[in-house]
Amino acid sequence: PWRPAFESCEHSPQQDNGHDCGVYVMAVAARLCGWQAAAPAQLLGRLPELPKLVTPAAVHALRGEALLLVRELAAREEKGL
């Protein structure tokens, strides 16, 4: 049977406040999924790039994108779409 593999990542960026942890998880997951889809064999070698890509500015932008998406989906639901 398939078993998940776990890799420790000392390069994982972390928030410097008490409220952005979930958005950091989303940003890191998006990068990892993109890398996995594009070139699975290179995924582990790219981990050191994470702190350069998942920055406070990138997380701030993602927070805004997520908020817009939630508002759009809520508006659709209200309209019954």
Side-chain angles (χ1 to χ4, degrees):
W2 178 83
R3 292 180 185 231
F6 295 94
E7 184 72 31
S8 178
C9 181
E10 66 268 9
H11 305 289
S12 183
Q14 294 182 347
Q15 82 276 9
D16 57 3
N17 58 41
H19 59 272
D20 276 339
C21 55
V23 187
Y24 270 79
V25 168
M26 289 182 356
V28 169
R31 286 289 173 183
L32 295 177
C33 289
W35 291 341
Q36 176 68 22
Q42 297 174 8
L43 177 65
L44 293 180
R46 295 195 70 182
L47 293 179
E49 297 176 41
L50 282 172
K52 296 176 222 150
L53 299 170
V54 180
T55 63
V59 167
H60 180 75
L62 181 58
R63 177 185 290 282
E65 293 172 26
L67 179 59
L68 288 174
L69 178 59
V70 167
R71 287 181 175 160
E72 179 184 312
L73 293 173
R76 284 184 184 179
E77 182 149 331
E78 281 182 11
K79 293 177 183 177
L81 300 176

